[in-house]
Amino acid sequence: LTVVSAPTVVILAAGQGTRMKSSVPKVLHPICGRPMILWPVAAALEAGAARVVVVDDPSRKLESVLPEGVTSAVQEQPRGTGDAVRAAAALIDPDAPVVVLAGDVPLITPAAIAELVAAHAAGGAAATMATMELEDPSGYGRVIRGADGAVERVVETKVAGDATPAELKIREVNTGVLAFDGRALLDALDGLDTDNAQGELYLPDVLPVLRAAGSRVGAHVLADPRLMLGVNDRVDLATVTGHAQQRINEAHMRAGVTFLDSASSVVDAGVEIGRDTVIEPFTCLRGTTRIGEDCRIGPSSTLIDSELGRGVTIRHTYADGALVEDGANVGPFAYLRPGATLRAKAKVGTFVEVKNAIIGANSKVPHLSYVGDADVGEDSNLGAGTITVNYDGRRKHRTTIGRNVRGGSDTMFIAPVTVGDGAWTAAGSVITQDIPPGALGVARARQHNVEGYVERRSREQEEQS
Ligand code: UD1
Ligand code: MG
């Protein structure tokens, strides 16, 4: 039995990412809602790394997203992946294995890291490179194996000049993920030079240095190349995001969630969904959204940072920062904005916008309404076209509506205003004064009918022509 000590994991992320053509650092581009760099960081932590070191550039832009317990090192200039590892040298334990990951190879799993570490320990090599065979290997470093099949070196292809036409035909590539003996790596880094097409210190060049020193270099060929696709441009970003999304959705399906069309369902990493919930097509679940059991979401709904209880129905809806409790019913075509709180079995229907407002249990706002900065008690019903007039041009005010209230259609509540329990409003009312409990508030002009008006009017028009 070999006891494998926990590895130091060094994640390279100080490159410029020029091919992204972006003002945002490459590894801060989100993949399924989570900055790219946090994908390999999470995998390393889950794989039981003794220490995780992220190599950043001097702007230290990554620091703000890195979790507690992850160390960063600074590479002063982007002089290549070998130089980037060198920037972390002081944090590398010479007596433990080292795993080098790339910040732009985000789909790596904890299992893949553990397998590489195990293969490295079993092979007794000073370095073990994870490799994969690709249909289209363009842009990757190609693995050159000797007559005996052992890895000799890697030849880079990012710019012309390093690889020969014959080498470009090789389909086995360096994934950018390698395991080393700490001490062997630290020694070999001193043997790198910049004698190559990019004038950089290439990390894979430590392999021939190790071989020259009499050490063995191994390769661990990955069965599933999707795990180690690199992101160099936005086409790669889209490909990798697709795989990440599939992984997320499949994990939910295995945990008891039904997707009617997984391919059109966008679910961020970290979203929680309860059992027997059904996700209908064209649905986006983002940020910190948490959904209970037995819900039905979609089609065409977006939930951002929202929390749903169990048995909630949401159709054709956009919700951001909403809390929707058990059995509530939303949409089709509702807009829930931050602070919208729907208590159990509340209903918010078609073309209704709710912001910073509580809709009490069993209460209904079924059609064409705006409810903002309001508290609505239980068992109330606000008719079609209800508006809480919350803004006087300078400040926002609250509307307080009691329980069991019946608001007539087209009622405007001019806030601040309070409506007592059991009160009613007449349709078309502009409510500017509080309504006591049980009262009817009528605030509209009385109708008067002008008898014979139509006939008189057409007679006048005939006389004029
Ligand atoms: C690298 C490998 C290539 C491999 C590919 C896999 C080298 C020289 N080449 O190429 O063999 O097939 O990854 O995806 O290692 N970085 C730094 N500092 C630097 C340069 C890069 O921290 O000075 C970081 C980048 O931020 C990135 C990673 O290292 O996260 C890889 O750099 P990149 O420029 O993308 O290398 P590739 O050309 O993709
Ligand atoms: Mg790359």
Side-chain angles (χ1 to χ4, degrees), residues 12-16 19 26-27 55 75 77-81 84 102-105 139-141 154 156 158 173-176 200 202-204 230 232:
L12 309 185
Q16 289 175 311
R19 288 169 282 182
K26 172 163 73 178
V27 297
V55 181
Q75 183 189 22
Q77 277 165 32
R79 279 180 295 238
T81 49
D104 67 348
V105 179
Y140 287 85
V154 172
E156 293 302 321
K158 180 173 173 178
V173 304
N174 168 26
T175 59
E200 290 185 351
Y202 291 163
L203 177 64
N232 291 319

PDB file of all heavy atoms in Angstrom, residues 12-16 19 26-27 55 75 77-81 84 102-105 139-141 154 156 158 173-176 200 202-204 230 232, ligand 1:
ATOM      1  N   LEU A  12      -2.387  27.980 -12.506  1.00  0.00           N
ATOM      2  CA  LEU A  12      -1.791  29.090 -13.268  1.00  0.00           C
ATOM      3  C   LEU A  12      -2.889  29.969 -13.848  1.00  0.00           C
ATOM      4  O   LEU A  12      -3.761  29.496 -14.568  1.00  0.00           O
ATOM      5  CB  LEU A  12      -0.929  28.538 -14.402  1.00  0.00           C
ATOM      6  CG  LEU A  12       0.093  27.470 -13.977  1.00  0.00           C
ATOM      7  CD1 LEU A  12       0.972  27.099 -15.170  1.00  0.00           C
ATOM      8  CD2 LEU A  12       0.927  27.956 -12.804  1.00  0.00           C
ATOM      9  N   ALA A  13      -2.812  31.245 -13.533  1.00  0.00           N
ATOM     10  CA  ALA A  13      -3.887  32.133 -13.974  1.00  0.00           C
ATOM     11  C   ALA A  13      -3.397  33.551 -14.213  1.00  0.00           C
ATOM     12  O   ALA A  13      -4.170  34.505 -14.133  1.00  0.00           O
ATOM     13  CB  ALA A  13      -5.004  32.130 -12.928  1.00  0.00           C
ATOM     14  N   ALA A  14      -2.102  33.687 -14.508  1.00  0.00           N
ATOM     15  CA  ALA A  14      -1.555  35.037 -14.671  1.00  0.00           C
ATOM     16  C   ALA A  14      -1.377  35.420 -16.134  1.00  0.00           C
ATOM     17  O   ALA A  14      -0.853  36.485 -16.437  1.00  0.00           O
ATOM     18  CB  ALA A  14      -0.216  35.144 -13.939  1.00  0.00           C
ATOM     19  N   GLY A  15      -1.820  34.550 -17.034  1.00  0.00           N
ATOM     20  CA  GLY A  15      -1.652  34.854 -18.452  1.00  0.00           C
ATOM     21  C   GLY A  15      -2.543  36.013 -18.866  1.00  0.00           C
ATOM     22  O   GLY A  15      -3.460  36.412 -18.135  1.00  0.00           O
ATOM     23  N   GLN A  16      -2.289  36.537 -20.039  1.00  0.00           N
ATOM     24  CA  GLN A  16      -3.035  37.727 -20.453  1.00  0.00           C
ATOM     25  C   GLN A  16      -4.372  37.403 -21.096  1.00  0.00           C
ATOM     26  O   GLN A  16      -5.249  38.257 -21.156  1.00  0.00           O
ATOM     27  CB  GLN A  16      -2.172  38.563 -21.390  1.00  0.00           C
ATOM     28  CG  GLN A  16      -1.028  39.223 -20.619  1.00  0.00           C
ATOM     29  CD  GLN A  16      -0.072  39.953 -21.516  1.00  0.00           C
ATOM     30  OE1 GLN A  16       0.378  39.391 -22.516  1.00  0.00           O
ATOM     31  NE2 GLN A  16       0.228  41.183 -21.177  1.00  0.00           N
ATOM     32  N   ARG A  19      -6.456  36.119 -26.454  1.00  0.00           N
ATOM     33  CA  ARG A  19      -7.380  35.609 -27.471  1.00  0.00           C
ATOM     34  C   ARG A  19      -8.844  35.784 -27.076  1.00  0.00           C
ATOM     35  O   ARG A  19      -9.737  35.621 -27.894  1.00  0.00           O
ATOM     36  CB  ARG A  19      -7.051  34.127 -27.756  1.00  0.00           C
ATOM     37  CG  ARG A  19      -5.754  33.948 -28.527  1.00  0.00           C
ATOM     38  CD  ARG A  19      -5.283  32.500 -28.573  1.00  0.00           C
ATOM     39  NE  ARG A  19      -4.640  32.098 -27.319  1.00  0.00           N
ATOM     40  CZ  ARG A  19      -4.106  30.892 -27.101  1.00  0.00           C
ATOM     41  NH1 ARG A  19      -4.150  29.979 -28.049  1.00  0.00           N
ATOM     42  NH2 ARG A  19      -3.538  30.603 -25.938  1.00  0.00           N
ATOM     43  N   LYS A  26      -9.257  36.648 -18.354  1.00  0.00           N
ATOM     44  CA  LYS A  26      -9.886  35.425 -18.884  1.00  0.00           C
ATOM     45  C   LYS A  26     -10.521  34.576 -17.789  1.00  0.00           C
ATOM     46  O   LYS A  26     -11.672  34.145 -17.920  1.00  0.00           O
ATOM     47  CB  LYS A  26      -8.847  34.600 -19.654  1.00  0.00           C
ATOM     48  CG  LYS A  26      -9.345  33.236 -20.080  1.00  0.00           C
ATOM     49  CD  LYS A  26      -8.513  32.594 -21.168  1.00  0.00           C
ATOM     50  CE  LYS A  26      -7.183  32.099 -20.704  1.00  0.00           C
ATOM     51  NZ  LYS A  26      -6.441  31.439 -21.809  1.00  0.00           N
ATOM     52  N   VAL A  27      -9.778  34.351 -16.699  1.00  0.00           N
ATOM     53  CA  VAL A  27     -10.287  33.394 -15.703  1.00  0.00           C
ATOM     54  C   VAL A  27     -11.371  33.989 -14.809  1.00  0.00           C
ATOM     55  O   VAL A  27     -11.887  33.305 -13.930  1.00  0.00           O
ATOM     56  CB  VAL A  27      -9.146  32.801 -14.839  1.00  0.00           C
ATOM     57  CG1 VAL A  27      -8.184  32.005 -15.716  1.00  0.00           C
ATOM     58  CG2 VAL A  27      -8.434  33.875 -14.045  1.00  0.00           C
ATOM     59  N   VAL A  55      -1.772  31.435  -9.137  1.00  0.00           N
ATOM     60  CA  VAL A  55      -0.774  32.397  -9.621  1.00  0.00           C
ATOM     61  C   VAL A  55      -1.501  33.487 -10.400  1.00  0.00           C
ATOM     62  O   VAL A  55      -2.102  33.241 -11.446  1.00  0.00           O
ATOM     63  CB  VAL A  55       0.294  31.707 -10.498  1.00  0.00           C
ATOM     64  CG1 VAL A  55       1.338  32.729 -10.959  1.00  0.00           C
ATOM     65  CG2 VAL A  55       0.949  30.564  -9.724  1.00  0.00           C
ATOM     66  N   GLN A  75       2.951  36.483 -10.370  1.00  0.00           N
ATOM     67  CA  GLN A  75       3.967  36.396 -11.421  1.00  0.00           C
ATOM     68  C   GLN A  75       4.147  37.813 -11.962  1.00  0.00           C
ATOM     69  O   GLN A  75       3.192  38.417 -12.448  1.00  0.00           O
ATOM     70  CB  GLN A  75       3.490  35.455 -12.533  1.00  0.00           C
ATOM     71  CG  GLN A  75       4.526  35.260 -13.627  1.00  0.00           C
ATOM     72  CD  GLN A  75       3.963  34.498 -14.830  1.00  0.00           C
ATOM     73  OE1 GLN A  75       2.748  34.456 -15.048  1.00  0.00           O
ATOM     74  NE2 GLN A  75       4.850  33.906 -15.605  1.00  0.00           N
ATOM     75  N   GLN A  77       5.740  39.181 -14.528  1.00  0.00           N
ATOM     76  CA  GLN A  77       5.465  39.378 -15.955  1.00  0.00           C
ATOM     77  C   GLN A  77       5.043  38.042 -16.559  1.00  0.00           C
ATOM     78  O   GLN A  77       5.507  37.007 -16.116  1.00  0.00           O
ATOM     79  CB  GLN A  77       6.719  39.871 -16.673  1.00  0.00           C
ATOM     80  CG  GLN A  77       6.902  41.379 -16.553  1.00  0.00           C
ATOM     81  CD  GLN A  77       8.301  41.813 -16.938  1.00  0.00           C
ATOM     82  OE1 GLN A  77       8.931  41.193 -17.798  1.00  0.00           O
ATOM     83  NE2 GLN A  77       8.791  42.845 -16.285  1.00  0.00           N
ATOM     84  N   PRO A  78       4.193  38.085 -17.588  1.00  0.00           N
ATOM     85  CA  PRO A  78       3.734  36.810 -18.181  1.00  0.00           C
ATOM     86  C   PRO A  78       4.816  36.180 -19.057  1.00  0.00           C
ATOM     87  O   PRO A  78       4.744  36.208 -20.275  1.00  0.00           O
ATOM     88  CB  PRO A  78       2.509  37.231 -19.001  1.00  0.00           C
ATOM     89  CG  PRO A  78       2.755  38.663 -19.352  1.00  0.00           C
ATOM     90  CD  PRO A  78       3.550  39.250 -18.220  1.00  0.00           C
ATOM     91  N   ARG A  79       5.789  35.598 -18.393  1.00  0.00           N
ATOM     92  CA  ARG A  79       6.920  35.036 -19.146  1.00  0.00           C
ATOM     93  C   ARG A  79       6.744  33.556 -19.420  1.00  0.00           C
ATOM     94  O   ARG A  79       7.710  32.857 -19.682  1.00  0.00           O
ATOM     95  CB  ARG A  79       8.211  35.263 -18.349  1.00  0.00           C
ATOM     96  CG  ARG A  79       8.777  36.686 -18.515  1.00  0.00           C
ATOM     97  CD  ARG A  79      10.060  36.867 -17.716  1.00  0.00           C
ATOM     98  NE  ARG A  79       9.784  36.761 -16.307  1.00  0.00           N
ATOM     99  CZ  ARG A  79      10.058  37.716 -15.407  1.00  0.00           C
ATOM    100  NH1 ARG A  79      10.643  38.844 -15.787  1.00  0.00           N
ATOM    101  NH2 ARG A  79       9.767  37.532 -14.147  1.00  0.00           N
ATOM    102  N   GLY A  80       5.522  33.067 -19.314  1.00  0.00           N
ATOM    103  CA  GLY A  80       5.284  31.664 -19.667  1.00  0.00           C
ATOM    104  C   GLY A  80       4.855  30.826 -18.470  1.00  0.00           C
ATOM    105  O   GLY A  80       4.988  31.221 -17.308  1.00  0.00           O
ATOM    106  N   THR A  81       4.333  29.634 -18.789  1.00  0.00           N
ATOM    107  CA  THR A  81       3.785  28.771 -17.735  1.00  0.00           C
ATOM    108  C   THR A  81       4.872  28.263 -16.783  1.00  0.00           C
ATOM    109  O   THR A  81       4.604  28.060 -15.591  1.00  0.00           O
ATOM    110  CB  THR A  81       3.043  27.571 -18.357  1.00  0.00           C
ATOM    111  OG1 THR A  81       3.879  26.958 -19.351  1.00  0.00           O
ATOM    112  CG2 THR A  81       1.742  28.007 -19.028  1.00  0.00           C
ATOM    113  N   ALA A  84       5.461  30.983 -14.404  1.00  0.00           N
ATOM    114  CA  ALA A  84       4.328  31.115 -13.490  1.00  0.00           C
ATOM    115  C   ALA A  84       4.455  30.132 -12.326  1.00  0.00           C
ATOM    116  O   ALA A  84       4.199  30.482 -11.170  1.00  0.00           O
ATOM    117  CB  ALA A  84       3.010  30.889 -14.238  1.00  0.00           C
ATOM    118  N   ALA A 102      -4.336  24.514 -14.858  1.00  0.00           N
ATOM    119  CA  ALA A 102      -4.428  25.809 -15.525  1.00  0.00           C
ATOM    120  C   ALA A 102      -5.775  26.418 -15.169  1.00  0.00           C
ATOM    121  O   ALA A 102      -6.802  25.729 -15.172  1.00  0.00           O
ATOM    122  CB  ALA A 102      -4.285  25.638 -17.032  1.00  0.00           C
ATOM    123  N   GLY A 103      -5.762  27.699 -14.875  1.00  0.00           N
ATOM    124  CA  GLY A 103      -7.005  28.399 -14.562  1.00  0.00           C
ATOM    125  C   GLY A 103      -7.974  28.384 -15.723  1.00  0.00           C
ATOM    126  O   GLY A 103      -9.176  28.571 -15.545  1.00  0.00           O
ATOM    127  N   ASP A 104      -7.458  28.153 -16.935  1.00  0.00           N
ATOM    128  CA  ASP A 104      -8.324  28.165 -18.113  1.00  0.00           C
ATOM    129  C   ASP A 104      -8.695  26.753 -18.567  1.00  0.00           C
ATOM    130  O   ASP A 104      -9.126  26.552 -19.689  1.00  0.00           O
ATOM    131  CB  ASP A 104      -7.675  28.968 -19.253  1.00  0.00           C
ATOM    132  CG  ASP A 104      -6.427  28.320 -19.823  1.00  0.00           C
ATOM    133  OD1 ASP A 104      -5.911  27.366 -19.216  1.00  0.00           O
ATOM    134  OD2 ASP A 104      -5.969  28.789 -20.893  1.00  0.00           O
ATOM    135  N   VAL A 105      -8.521  25.768 -17.660  1.00  0.00           N
ATOM    136  CA  VAL A 105      -8.977  24.389 -17.918  1.00  0.00           C
ATOM    137  C   VAL A 105      -9.960  24.063 -16.789  1.00  0.00           C
ATOM    138  O   VAL A 105      -9.634  23.385 -15.825  1.00  0.00           O
ATOM    139  CB  VAL A 105      -7.779  23.409 -17.971  1.00  0.00           C
ATOM    140  CG1 VAL A 105      -8.249  21.976 -18.211  1.00  0.00           C
ATOM    141  CG2 VAL A 105      -6.808  23.824 -19.072  1.00  0.00           C
ATOM    142  N   GLY A 139      -3.945  24.404 -31.486  1.00  0.00           N
ATOM    143  CA  GLY A 139      -3.689  25.317 -30.379  1.00  0.00           C
ATOM    144  C   GLY A 139      -3.041  24.661 -29.168  1.00  0.00           C
ATOM    145  O   GLY A 139      -2.437  25.335 -28.344  1.00  0.00           O
ATOM    146  N   TYR A 140      -3.174  23.339 -29.048  1.00  0.00           N
ATOM    147  CA  TYR A 140      -2.607  22.638 -27.897  1.00  0.00           C
ATOM    148  C   TYR A 140      -1.154  22.236 -28.163  1.00  0.00           C
ATOM    149  O   TYR A 140      -0.744  22.060 -29.314  1.00  0.00           O
ATOM    150  CB  TYR A 140      -3.392  21.359 -27.610  1.00  0.00           C
ATOM    151  CG  TYR A 140      -4.759  21.585 -27.000  1.00  0.00           C
ATOM    152  CD1 TYR A 140      -5.868  21.839 -27.800  1.00  0.00           C
ATOM    153  CD2 TYR A 140      -4.939  21.523 -25.624  1.00  0.00           C
ATOM    154  CE1 TYR A 140      -7.120  22.029 -27.240  1.00  0.00           C
ATOM    155  CE2 TYR A 140      -6.201  21.711 -25.057  1.00  0.00           C
ATOM    156  CZ  TYR A 140      -7.281  21.964 -25.864  1.00  0.00           C
ATOM    157  OH  TYR A 140      -8.525  22.147 -25.316  1.00  0.00           O
ATOM    158  N   GLY A 141      -0.400  22.040 -27.077  1.00  0.00           N
ATOM    159  CA  GLY A 141       0.943  21.468 -27.194  1.00  0.00           C
ATOM    160  C   GLY A 141       0.828  19.988 -27.511  1.00  0.00           C
ATOM    161  O   GLY A 141       0.047  19.270 -26.888  1.00  0.00           O
ATOM    162  N   VAL A 154       7.051  18.128 -25.075  1.00  0.00           N
ATOM    163  CA  VAL A 154       5.841  18.704 -25.652  1.00  0.00           C
ATOM    164  C   VAL A 154       6.284  19.776 -26.625  1.00  0.00           C
ATOM    165  O   VAL A 154       7.222  20.531 -26.343  1.00  0.00           O
ATOM    166  CB  VAL A 154       4.947  19.319 -24.549  1.00  0.00           C
ATOM    167  CG1 VAL A 154       3.784  20.090 -25.155  1.00  0.00           C
ATOM    168  CG2 VAL A 154       4.445  18.237 -23.608  1.00  0.00           C
ATOM    169  N   GLU A 156       5.005  23.100 -28.640  1.00  0.00           N
ATOM    170  CA  GLU A 156       3.916  24.088 -28.598  1.00  0.00           C
ATOM    171  C   GLU A 156       3.481  24.502 -30.002  1.00  0.00           C
ATOM    172  O   GLU A 156       4.286  24.489 -30.950  1.00  0.00           O
ATOM    173  CB  GLU A 156       4.352  25.318 -27.801  1.00  0.00           C
ATOM    174  CG  GLU A 156       4.565  25.039 -26.327  1.00  0.00           C
ATOM    175  CD  GLU A 156       3.330  24.474 -25.636  1.00  0.00           C
ATOM    176  OE1 GLU A 156       2.207  24.912 -25.946  1.00  0.00           O
ATOM    177  OE2 GLU A 156       3.490  23.569 -24.788  1.00  0.00           O
ATOM    178  N   LYS A 158       0.883  27.255 -30.332  1.00  0.00           N
ATOM    179  CA  LYS A 158       0.076  28.485 -30.248  1.00  0.00           C
ATOM    180  C   LYS A 158       0.512  29.473 -31.332  1.00  0.00           C
ATOM    181  O   LYS A 158      -0.323  30.095 -31.983  1.00  0.00           O
ATOM    182  CB  LYS A 158       0.280  29.093 -28.864  1.00  0.00           C
ATOM    183  CG  LYS A 158      -0.485  30.366 -28.593  1.00  0.00           C
ATOM    184  CD  LYS A 158      -0.276  30.709 -27.118  1.00  0.00           C
ATOM    185  CE  LYS A 158      -0.800  32.002 -26.665  1.00  0.00           C
ATOM    186  NZ  LYS A 158      -0.565  32.148 -25.202  1.00  0.00           N
ATOM    187  N   VAL A 173      -2.386  15.495 -26.957  1.00  0.00           N
ATOM    188  CA  VAL A 173      -1.973  16.832 -26.495  1.00  0.00           C
ATOM    189  C   VAL A 173      -1.765  16.854 -24.985  1.00  0.00           C
ATOM    190  O   VAL A 173      -2.295  16.026 -24.235  1.00  0.00           O
ATOM    191  CB  VAL A 173      -3.032  17.905 -26.869  1.00  0.00           C
ATOM    192  CG1 VAL A 173      -3.299  17.913 -28.370  1.00  0.00           C
ATOM    193  CG2 VAL A 173      -4.318  17.731 -26.069  1.00  0.00           C
ATOM    194  N   ASN A 174      -0.979  17.861 -24.577  1.00  0.00           N
ATOM    195  CA  ASN A 174      -0.805  18.164 -23.155  1.00  0.00           C
ATOM    196  C   ASN A 174      -2.076  18.861 -22.669  1.00  0.00           C
ATOM    197  O   ASN A 174      -2.493  19.866 -23.231  1.00  0.00           O
ATOM    198  CB  ASN A 174       0.412  19.093 -23.013  1.00  0.00           C
ATOM    199  CG  ASN A 174       0.526  19.716 -21.627  1.00  0.00           C
ATOM    200  OD1 ASN A 174       0.040  19.158 -20.644  1.00  0.00           O
ATOM    201  ND2 ASN A 174       1.175  20.867 -21.558  1.00  0.00           N
ATOM    202  N   THR A 175      -2.697  18.323 -21.628  1.00  0.00           N
ATOM    203  CA  THR A 175      -3.903  18.969 -21.092  1.00  0.00           C
ATOM    204  C   THR A 175      -3.571  20.245 -20.327  1.00  0.00           C
ATOM    205  O   THR A 175      -4.449  21.049 -20.043  1.00  0.00           O
ATOM    206  CB  THR A 175      -4.633  18.037 -20.102  1.00  0.00           C
ATOM    207  OG1 THR A 175      -3.720  17.727 -19.051  1.00  0.00           O
ATOM    208  CG2 THR A 175      -5.117  16.778 -20.779  1.00  0.00           C
ATOM    209  N   GLY A 176      -2.301  20.413 -19.960  1.00  0.00           N
ATOM    210  CA  GLY A 176      -1.925  21.539 -19.092  1.00  0.00           C
ATOM    211  C   GLY A 176      -1.991  21.141 -17.628  1.00  0.00           C
ATOM    212  O   GLY A 176      -1.724  21.949 -16.752  1.00  0.00           O
ATOM    213  N   GLU A 200       9.267  32.338 -24.287  1.00  0.00           N
ATOM    214  CA  GLU A 200       8.749  32.157 -22.929  1.00  0.00           C
ATOM    215  C   GLU A 200       9.414  30.968 -22.249  1.00  0.00           C
ATOM    216  O   GLU A 200      10.055  30.145 -22.885  1.00  0.00           O
ATOM    217  CB  GLU A 200       7.230  31.896 -22.987  1.00  0.00           C
ATOM    218  CG  GLU A 200       6.420  33.102 -23.394  1.00  0.00           C
ATOM    219  CD  GLU A 200       4.921  32.842 -23.324  1.00  0.00           C
ATOM    220  OE1 GLU A 200       4.525  31.673 -23.129  1.00  0.00           O
ATOM    221  OE2 GLU A 200       4.157  33.814 -23.470  1.00  0.00           O
ATOM    222  N   TYR A 202       8.481  27.655 -21.001  1.00  0.00           N
ATOM    223  CA  TYR A 202       7.372  26.710 -21.118  1.00  0.00           C
ATOM    224  C   TYR A 202       7.467  25.665 -19.999  1.00  0.00           C
ATOM    225  O   TYR A 202       8.492  24.990 -19.867  1.00  0.00           O
ATOM    226  CB  TYR A 202       7.453  25.948 -22.449  1.00  0.00           C
ATOM    227  CG  TYR A 202       7.202  26.729 -23.727  1.00  0.00           C
ATOM    228  CD1 TYR A 202       7.612  26.188 -24.952  1.00  0.00           C
ATOM    229  CD2 TYR A 202       6.540  27.955 -23.737  1.00  0.00           C
ATOM    230  CE1 TYR A 202       7.376  26.847 -26.152  1.00  0.00           C
ATOM    231  CE2 TYR A 202       6.310  28.629 -24.939  1.00  0.00           C
ATOM    232  CZ  TYR A 202       6.724  28.070 -26.138  1.00  0.00           C
ATOM    233  OH  TYR A 202       6.492  28.718 -27.323  1.00  0.00           O
ATOM    234  N   LEU A 203       6.394  25.497 -19.250  1.00  0.00           N
ATOM    235  CA  LEU A 203       6.415  24.476 -18.192  1.00  0.00           C
ATOM    236  C   LEU A 203       6.705  23.067 -18.733  1.00  0.00           C
ATOM    237  O   LEU A 203       7.495  22.334 -18.135  1.00  0.00           O
ATOM    238  CB  LEU A 203       5.092  24.481 -17.411  1.00  0.00           C
ATOM    239  CG  LEU A 203       5.000  23.405 -16.331  1.00  0.00           C
ATOM    240  CD1 LEU A 203       6.047  23.616 -15.242  1.00  0.00           C
ATOM    241  CD2 LEU A 203       3.592  23.363 -15.732  1.00  0.00           C
ATOM    242  N   PRO A 204       6.085  22.646 -19.856  1.00  0.00           N
ATOM    243  CA  PRO A 204       6.345  21.264 -20.304  1.00  0.00           C
ATOM    244  C   PRO A 204       7.820  21.002 -20.630  1.00  0.00           C
ATOM    245  O   PRO A 204       8.238  19.840 -20.701  1.00  0.00           O
ATOM    246  CB  PRO A 204       5.470  21.122 -21.562  1.00  0.00           C
ATOM    247  CG  PRO A 204       4.397  22.162 -21.398  1.00  0.00           C
ATOM    248  CD  PRO A 204       5.057  23.307 -20.684  1.00  0.00           C
ATOM    249  N   GLY A 230      -9.407  23.346 -22.812  1.00  0.00           N
ATOM    250  CA  GLY A 230      -8.918  24.653 -22.391  1.00  0.00           C
ATOM    251  C   GLY A 230      -9.759  25.758 -23.003  1.00  0.00           C
ATOM    252  O   GLY A 230     -10.397  25.583 -24.035  1.00  0.00           O
ATOM    253  N   ASN A 232      -9.383  29.296 -24.562  1.00  0.00           N
ATOM    254  CA  ASN A 232      -8.485  30.338 -25.036  1.00  0.00           C
ATOM    255  C   ASN A 232      -9.236  31.478 -25.694  1.00  0.00           C
ATOM    256  O   ASN A 232      -8.813  32.623 -25.640  1.00  0.00           O
ATOM    257  CB  ASN A 232      -7.459  29.754 -26.018  1.00  0.00           C
ATOM    258  CG  ASN A 232      -6.493  28.828 -25.295  1.00  0.00           C
ATOM    259  OD1 ASN A 232      -6.062  29.121 -24.190  1.00  0.00           O
ATOM    260  ND2 ASN A 232      -6.193  27.701 -25.902  1.00  0.00           N
TER     261      ASN A 232
HETATM  262  C1  UD1 B   1      -0.738  25.471 -22.479  1.00  0.00           C
HETATM  263  C2  UD1 B   1       0.414  24.479 -22.657  1.00  0.00           C
HETATM  264  C3  UD1 B   1       0.047  23.497 -23.768  1.00  0.00           C
HETATM  265  C4  UD1 B   1      -1.267  22.795 -23.438  1.00  0.00           C
HETATM  266  C5  UD1 B   1      -2.365  23.817 -23.145  1.00  0.00           C
HETATM  267  C6  UD1 B   1      -3.590  23.114 -22.575  1.00  0.00           C
HETATM  268  C7  UD1 B   1       2.498  25.611 -22.128  1.00  0.00           C
HETATM  269  C8  UD1 B   1       3.679  26.330 -22.653  1.00  0.00           C
HETATM  270  N1  UD1 B   1       1.615  25.189 -23.018  1.00  0.00           N
HETATM  271  O1  UD1 B   1      -0.838  26.188 -23.699  1.00  0.00           O
HETATM  272  O2  UD1 B   1       1.080  22.528 -23.892  1.00  0.00           O
HETATM  273  O3  UD1 B   1      -1.653  21.967 -24.508  1.00  0.00           O
HETATM  274  O4  UD1 B   1      -1.935  24.773 -22.151  1.00  0.00           O
HETATM  275  O5  UD1 B   1      -4.661  23.998 -22.411  1.00  0.00           O
HETATM  276  O6  UD1 B   1       2.404  25.388 -20.938  1.00  0.00           O
HETATM  277  N2  UD1 B   1      -0.192  31.481 -17.598  1.00  0.00           N
HETATM  278  C9  UD1 B   1       0.419  32.173 -16.581  1.00  0.00           C
HETATM  279  N3  UD1 B   1       1.529  32.904 -16.850  1.00  0.00           N
HETATM  280  C10 UD1 B   1       2.078  32.957 -18.097  1.00  0.00           C
HETATM  281  C11 UD1 B   1       1.449  32.230 -19.133  1.00  0.00           C
HETATM  282  C12 UD1 B   1       0.329  31.508 -18.857  1.00  0.00           C
HETATM  283  O7  UD1 B   1      -0.041  32.149 -15.442  1.00  0.00           O
HETATM  284  O8  UD1 B   1       3.107  33.641 -18.246  1.00  0.00           O
HETATM  285  C13 UD1 B   1      -1.410  30.718 -17.311  1.00  0.00           C
HETATM  286  C14 UD1 B   1      -2.594  31.228 -18.095  1.00  0.00           C
HETATM  287  O9  UD1 B   1      -3.314  32.197 -17.352  1.00  0.00           O
HETATM  288  C15 UD1 B   1      -3.424  29.980 -18.324  1.00  0.00           C
HETATM  289  C16 UD1 B   1      -2.398  28.858 -18.293  1.00  0.00           C
HETATM  290  O10 UD1 B   1      -1.233  29.390 -17.700  1.00  0.00           O
HETATM  291  O11 UD1 B   1      -4.369  29.774 -17.295  1.00  0.00           O
HETATM  292  C17 UD1 B   1      -2.086  28.368 -19.703  1.00  0.00           C
HETATM  293  O12 UD1 B   1      -1.626  29.467 -20.483  1.00  0.00           O
HETATM  294  P1  UD1 B   1      -2.002  29.629 -22.009  1.00  0.00           P
HETATM  295  O13 UD1 B   1      -1.326  30.848 -22.519  1.00  0.00           O
HETATM  296  O14 UD1 B   1      -3.468  29.528 -22.197  1.00  0.00           O
HETATM  297  O15 UD1 B   1      -1.260  28.363 -22.611  1.00  0.00           O
HETATM  298  P2  UD1 B   1      -1.709  27.539 -23.886  1.00  0.00           P
HETATM  299  O16 UD1 B   1      -1.183  28.204 -25.097  1.00  0.00           O
HETATM  300  O17 UD1 B   1      -3.140  27.232 -23.816  1.00  0.00           O
END
